[in-house]
Amino acid sequence: MNKKKLHVKTGDTVKVLAGDERGKTGRIIAVNIEKQKVTIEGLNLVTKHSKPSAKNPQGGISKVEAPIHASNVSLVDAKGETFKAGSRKNSEGKTERYSKKTGEVI
């Protein structure tokens, strides 16, 4: 029962490193740890066709964010620079994430 981890969490600001959306930044809205995929707000939009139903009598076509593999994104700081995150214990004994590049807490 190894618990899998990713280098990003929901709410992090990330930059896409590979794929059609390369170079764009956005906020993570969902993380799937088993598949190692993240969904980024407003990026990697795909077209979904929905049949008419009781809930949606009109049916139609809608744009939805599709997940991107976590290896294709990198954390971004407030200045827009990518960095790697580490974790350490603070003075109260709680774990905190910090930038390995600048040392500031995320």
Side-chain angles (χ1 to χ4, degrees):
M1 291 228 4
N2 292 340
K3 186 173 181 181
K4 294 183 181 180
K5 289 187 355 179
L6 293 179
H7 66 287
V8 291
K9 295 181 178 183
T10 302
D12 286 346
T13 303
V14 293
K15 181 176 184 179
V16 180
L17 302 176
D20 293 338
E21 306 288 335
R22 178 177 42 213
K24 297 180 183 176
T25 60
R27 193 173 55 84
I28 294 180
I29 55 174
V31 176
N32 185 340
I33 295 174
E34 287 80 33
K35 293 185 179 181
Q36 295 187 349
K37 294 192 176 234
V38 295
T39 305
I40 303 171
E41 187 174 39
L43 295 181
N44 201 27
L45 295 175
V46 295
T47 304
K48 289 282 188 182
H49 300 285
S50 58
K51 293 174 82 174
S53 64
K55 193 180 221 181
N56 185 8
Q58 185 66 27
I61 301 170
S62 61
K63 297 273 187 180
V64 179
E65 292 111 350
I68 299 173
H69 198 272
S71 66
N72 293 334
V73 299
S74 178
L75 286 167
V76 174
D77 61 5
K79 299 173 193 165
E81 297 179 15
T82 60
F83 67 93
K84 292 195 174 189
S87 63
R88 62 183 173 204
K89 300 274 185 181
N90 63 10
S91 59
E92 291 114 33
K94 292 189 176 183
T95 304
E96 62 184 12
R97 292 169 72 203
Y98 71 100
S99 169
K100 287 186 176 181
K101 192 183 245 184
T102 62
E104 61 189 46
V105 178
I106 302 171

